[in-house]
Amino acid sequence: MLRLTLKNLAANRVRFALTTLAVVLAVSFVVSSFVLTDGLRSSFDSLSGEIVGGTDYEIRPVAEFGEPEQLDQSLLAEVASVDGVSSAAPVVAAENTIRPINGDGEEISLNGPPQLAFGWIDDQRLSNLTVVDGEAPDAAGEFSMDVDAAANHGFVVGETYGVLTPTGRSEVTLTGLTSFGENNDTLGATLMQFELGYLNELEGSTGFDSIVVALDGGADRGSVESRLDELAAGAELIDNTTLESETRADFNSGIDIIGNVLLGFAGISLFVSIFIIYNTFSIVLGQRTKELALLRTVGADPVQIRRSVQAEAMVIGVISSVIGIGTGVAVALGLRSLFNAIGAQLPDSPIVVSARTMLVAAAVGIGVTLISAVGPARKASRVPAIAALRDGAAAGEVSGRVRFAIGAGLTAIGAAAGAAGLFVASATASIVALLALGAIGVFIGITMLSPLVAVPLTKLLGWPGSRVAGVAGRLAKQNAGRNPQRTATTAAALMIGLAMVSMALTVGESVKAQLRATLDSSVTADYLVTDDGEFPATVAAELEATGVTDTVTSFRFDQARIATGGPDGPEVTEIVGTDLGKLPALFDLDITDGVVGDPAVADPILVSDEAATTSGIAVGDVLPVEFAGGASGELTVIGIFADDVVVDDDYIVDFSTWTAVGASGVDGWVAMTLADGVTTEQAEAAFAPIAETYPQVSIATSGDYVETLEGTIDQALATVNVMVALAVIIALIGIANTLALSVFERTRELGLLRAVGMTRRQLRRMVRLEAGLVALFGATLGVTIGVLFGWAAVAALPATITSTLAVPTTRILILVAVAGVAGLIAAWGPARRAGRLDVLDAIAS
């Protein structure tokens, strides 16, 4: 039986190739996710070692929450004087707060690798930065930049550029170019260096973020560590090994997110591929019914037939796994280019094919193939030998009643699991597991139920084609409905992909509808000032100084520990600082109790309705608050607000308190109204110099701001849909695969059609229209399920995100139409082969 199995594979090369293609697709996308993330992890692991460099110890401040206070400068001299310490250097670092502007007045976008600024350290043992052109910065108004960032963004040594900082805009001269390590392996990050005191000035600080220490070669590490630990009272002492481990862990947490996202999409592609593999085996074995029956008549029992089919699946799985590793590397490179093209920059990294990746490839390739072949193998082994020798005999199918019962049960179980994931589960792992289980159950269940509607639906969808394409259209409609189970299984792969796309579109449209409704009802501000990050308070002051504004206030963010009296005791939460007296002129927060501003209360606070309900807070209550900077106080609740869409945190503090406790001095965003009689044109003319000074900041009307947010949502949806589109492409390949095998299966039938007068052109059109109908059938089911999934997701989302279902009907109709056209294109190869069949040879087959 093994020799016969191998001969069968060799004798049917085209069928073997088509079956192998389906498995290779499944393996490739799983392999690509591991190759991409392992490459990134390898690069960042190397970078972690370079960052630590020659540092033996680091002393750094700690805080229970928020940003810790900086180390005092006096500590540096004490550390440097410890016996055994070779050198000690202060570290001041800033991430995405020192933002350079090139000669064209353009900023470096924060939507990519970080922008990092450091105080210059001369000691090469404690710093991996070396000057490769020009000089290091050694005075105020100077900076250096890594050589690749300078080249990529157009910075030239000797030129003066603007930098946006927490204290405002400053002009600085580029004195030199640096390299991080020998090859400047920054993985795309922008590295800037300033004289340490000047960086403190730009940051509005006076101390050090940490102190790094290098030891003498013969130092007694134990005694040195003990002495440094004494000096670091109130701070923490970290050794080299821990530093490298922490740095690697920080990088890996981000890589894990990317890896999990890629694996999620790979899982969708894998699930889609399973349907294709199953369908391919079903068709191939259906075409070999006579051959398998002859084996039965010469003594092969059902077990041997099943083993033969499973052996074929094993061979295909092994070969596909090997090929899939190579194609997976190519897909990984393509995915990296895709991410870069849509703005989600991924750094260059080596190609890493680990032993784990190869084992996973084998497990996926062989396991999926064997599992997909189980059903077809069982069907083939159940055909009676004598009956199978007759023309038209087929493998036994599950009865319609049993199929309906199983399909209905799986759909119900899947819906229940999905509902539990959306509305009941709280842990992330449980939510993901239940949603995945629910989706799998629903998709398999619907696939088993869909043959019940395949005939009427393909008749309906095929009606226009039968009217326009004549005989070819009518035959295509009949062919699509002739084998409803095959049509349903073939369409299932496309159904899954389009269900995901439709769900994303529905959720995105619902969120956008909520945004529009909220801003229409809650925002009375004329302009909103935003940025990808935080920006200096000077922006709001300069806007107010233009004379064209009436009310201007900014919003700042920090952390605090609030003793609410709730069931969990004091909680650390994010708080918002603003001018409460100006809020009513800018927003309607829907105050359910109390007032927004009360001048008679010295330290007022507003609380969201949700937080008030959870913790039993009422107007007039006094809340003990400990701020991130260490200050504490008692704040009086003056109002409860219900609309937490505009300000989506639970606690809003007045600037009078905010400033007194030394909370964050940078703005997250600004809102303002225009003075009476000021036109939009006058306002924008007044704002233009400020926009030029701070190019990173967006000054937009509320309507333009909504459009910007909608664009951001659309970009996120585009990223998701591009990834899901890979599964859709696999599904279309599956349709082409099925039709190609179907042409083999129906060779005699196609020959007879040609013999009775059908032209080659009509035959090709019939095959293409059949593929289009299958694609439309899958698309119709997919968008229907997708909208239902979207409705469930909208219902599960907090009301602050969206509470109204909005279906993007036009986009979904376009999606269905594109799927139909794609089906026509996918059938080009099978249609061409059908049209080239020799009539006599086809009839004689």
Side-chain angles (χ1 to χ4, degrees):
M1 292 299 292
L2 177 61
R3 290 195 298 272
L4 182 61
T5 296
L6 297 176
K7 287 182 179 180
N8 277 330
L9 291 173
N12 297 280
R13 293 184 181 86
V14 175
R15 294 176 182 176
F16 172 65
L18 291 173
T19 310
T20 301
L21 174 63
V23 186
V24 167
L25 292 171
V27 175
S28 297
F29 288 98
V30 175
V31 168
S32 67
S33 63
F34 284 108
V35 168
L36 196 57
T37 53
D38 285 347
L40 290 172
R41 188 168 283 109
S42 172
S43 295
F44 281 107
D45 283 350
S46 299
L47 181 61
S48 299
E50 288 196 47
I51 289 174
V52 173
T55 300
D56 291 306
Y57 291 97
E58 181 179 43
I59 299 173
R60 62 191 184 193
V62 293
E64 290 186 61
F65 60 91
E67 291 294 326
E69 291 188 12
Q70 291 184 307
L71 298 175
D72 189 86
Q73 297 192 22
S74 62
L75 179 61
L76 178 63
E78 296 181 45
V79 170
S81 65
V82 173
D83 289 339
V85 171
S86 171
S87 56
V91 174
V92 176
E95 181 175 352
N96 295 332
T97 59
I98 307 294
R99 300 167 59 187
I101 304 166
N102 67 17
D104 296 327
E106 297 177 353
E107 75 280 8
I108 302 175
S109 174
L110 289 180
N111 294 323
Q115 299 170 34
L116 306 174
F118 302 95
W120 181 259
I121 298 176
D122 285 321
D123 190 330
Q124 290 301 297
R125 184 175 175 184
L126 295 173
S127 171
N128 284 304
L129 290 165
T130 56
V131 177
V132 295
D133 185 16
E135 299 176 349
D138 59 3
E142 297 180 350
F143 82 114
S144 57
M145 177 180 282
D146 79 89
V147 61
D148 291 327
N152 292 336
H153 301 291
F155 289 84
V156 180
V157 173
E159 298 294 324
T160 299
Y161 301 97
V163 288
L164 189 63
T165 76
T167 57
R169 173 170 171 149
S170 298
E171 302 300 315
V172 291
T173 300
L174 183 64
T175 61
L177 302 180
T178 59
S179 175
F180 180 78
E182 185 177 348
N183 301 312
N184 195 46
D185 294 324
T186 65
L187 299 180
T190 298
L191 305 186
M192 296 166 286
Q193 304 84 40
F194 298 81
E195 189 273 326
L196 189 140
Y198 183 55
L199 182 56
N200 270 141
E201 181 182 329
L202 295 178
E203 284 279 284
S205 60
T206 57
F208 305 141
D209 294 327
S210 65
I211 295 173
V212 288
V213 178
L215 303 185
D216 291 326
D220 182 346
R221 297 185 68 93
S223 62
V224 173
E225 182 172 329
S226 177
R227 177 57 182 150
L228 291 176
D229 197 36
E230 291 177 11
L231 293 175
E236 63 178 343
L237 180 67
I238 306 296
D239 62 19
N240 179 281
T241 302
T242 305
L243 273 174
E244 185 173 347
S245 177
E246 288 183 349
T247 305
R248 185 180 293 112
D250 288 340
F251 286 136
N252 284 340
S253 62
I255 295 171
D256 288 341
I257 293 173
I258 296 173
N260 290 335
V261 170
L262 290 175
L263 277 177
F265 287 114
I268 295 173
S269 300
L270 178 62
F271 190 48
V272 167
S273 298
I274 289 174
F275 284 92
I276 298 173
I277 299 167
Y278 171 85
N279 211 31
T280 301
F281 268 103
S282 295
I283 296 171
V284 168
L285 292 175
Q287 294 169 2
R288 292 170 52 199
T289 300
K290 281 190 176 182
E291 173 194 324
L292 296 174
L294 285 172
L295 291 175
R296 292 288 308 281
T297 60
V298 296
D301 59 33
V303 173
Q304 288 178 305
I305 297 295
R306 287 198 297 272
R307 287 177 179 172
S308 174
V309 174
Q310 291 290 325
E312 288 187 29
M314 173 66 78
V315 172
I316 291 171
V318 170
I319 295 174
S320 300
S321 298
V322 174
I323 298 173
I325 292 173
T327 55
V329 171
V331 172
L333 295 174
L335 286 175
R336 182 189 297 161
S337 299
L338 177 63
F339 273 106
N340 293 341
I342 61 180
Q345 296 290 326
L346 290 181
D348 290 335
S349 56
I351 298 299
V352 178
V353 183
S354 64
R356 178 205 57 186
T357 300
M358 291 187 283
L359 289 174
V360 170
V364 170
I366 298 171
V368 166
T369 310
L370 290 175
I371 292 171
S372 301
V374 169
R378 287 176 60 84
K379 291 179 189 175
S381 67
R382 288 203 301 262
V383 177
I386 300 301
L389 293 175
R390 300 195 307 268
D391 287 338
E397 299 287 349
V398 178
S399 70
R401 188 173 299 175
V402 173
R403 186 182 183 89
F404 174 81
I406 295 174
L410 286 174
T411 303
I413 292 172
L422 288 172
F423 301 103
V424 178
S426 56
T428 301
S430 299
I431 293 172
V432 172
L434 287 170
L435 290 179
L437 178 63
I440 291 171
V442 169
F443 284 131
I444 296 177
I446 294 296
T447 300
M448 298 188 73
L449 294 174
S450 56
L452 300 175
V453 298
V455 175
L457 193 52
T458 52
K459 282 184 178 180
L460 176 63
L461 296 171
W463 180 82
S466 65
R467 302 288 293 180
V468 174
V471 173
R474 290 195 294 273
L475 287 174
K477 181 174 66 174
Q478 292 172 7
N479 288 337
R482 182 169 58 180
N483 191 332
Q485 182 174 335
R486 179 183 299 177
T487 297
T489 307
T490 303
L494 187 60
M495 172 187 72
I496 295 166
L498 293 188
M500 295 292 120
V501 174
S502 301
M503 180 183 70
L505 289 176
T506 299
V507 173
E509 190 65 24
S510 300
V511 171
K512 289 192 290 185
Q514 178 82 6
L515 278 173
R516 289 190 292 267
T518 298
L519 290 178
D520 286 343
S521 62
S522 302
V523 178
T524 54
D526 296 314
Y527 280 85
L528 299 174
V529 184
T530 58
D531 190 5
D532 291 333
E534 295 179 315
F535 52 88
T538 52
V539 175
E542 290 183 34
L543 288 168
E544 196 164 15
T546 58
V548 300
T549 61
D550 180 27
T551 303
V552 179
T553 190
S554 57
F555 295 81
R556 301 174 186 173
F557 303 90
D558 211 329
Q559 285 189 317
R561 180 168 21 223
I562 302 179
T564 61
D568 299 325
E571 60 171 331
V572 175
T573 183
E574 188 171 78
I575 57 173
V576 180
T578 190
D579 188 330
L580 294 183
K582 294 180 179 180
L583 268 186
L586 299 166
F587 303 106
D588 178 9
L589 294 183
D590 189 11
I591 299 296
T592 58
D593 191 14
V595 295
V596 174
D598 186 350
V601 178
D603 292 305
I605 185 171
L606 295 177
V607 181
S608 73
D609 184 67
E610 182 179 357
T613 302
T614 302
S615 302
I617 299 173
V619 172
D621 287 352
V622 176
L623 304 180
V625 179
E626 181 184 350
F627 294 90
S632 59
E634 294 185 337
L635 277 57
T636 303
V637 179
I638 61 169
I640 307 294
F641 64 94
D643 189 339
D644 54 355
V645 175
V646 174
V647 180
D648 60 356
D649 292 297
D650 290 326
Y651 303 96
I652 307 175
V653 177
D654 189 71
F655 270 156
S656 58
T657 303
W658 191 272
T659 305
V661 300
S664 172
V666 291
D667 292 337
W669 55 289
V670 173
M672 57 187 176
T673 57
L674 299 181
D676 291 340
V678 175
T679 65
T680 301
E681 291 76 16
Q682 292 172 327
E684 292 181 353
F687 299 154
I690 300 173
E692 185 176 352
T693 301
Y694 305 100
Q696 293 96 332
V697 174
S698 170
I699 305 173
T701 64
S702 57
D704 290 340
Y705 178 66
V706 172
E707 291 181 4
T708 301
L709 290 180
E710 289 180 344
T712 302
I713 294 171
D714 286 337
Q715 184 178 14
L717 291 178
T719 304
V720 172
N721 289 338
V722 164
M723 297 297 294
V724 176
L726 299 175
V728 174
I729 291 171
I730 295 174
L732 293 172
I733 293 174
I735 292 176
N737 197 358
T738 299
L739 283 174
L741 292 169
S742 182
V743 168
F744 279 107
E745 183 181 43
R746 290 154 48 188
T747 298
R748 180 180 294 181
E749 173 191 323
L750 297 176
L752 289 172
L753 289 173
R754 291 277 288 113
V756 298
M758 177 173 271
T759 66
R760 294 181 186 275
R761 183 178 181 182
Q762 287 176 314
L763 196 61
R764 290 195 297 268
R765 182 180 297 171
M766 180 191 74
V767 174
R768 286 196 298 266
L769 288 175
E770 182 180 346
L773 271 178
V774 172
L776 285 175
F777 176 69
T780 302
L781 290 178
V783 297
T784 302
I785 295 172
V787 171
L788 291 174
F789 280 5
W791 168 78
V794 168
L797 288 172
T800 55
I801 298 177
T802 184
S803 58
T804 304
L805 178 67
V807 180
T809 306
T810 302
R811 288 190 181 187
I812 285 179
L813 289 177
I814 292 174
L815 197 64
V816 173
V818 169
V821 173
L824 296 176
I825 296 173
W828 180 84
R832 186 181 180 191
R833 184 187 183 281
R836 294 170 62 183
L837 287 174
D838 181 271
V839 177
L840 295 179
D841 288 342
I843 294 174
S845 64

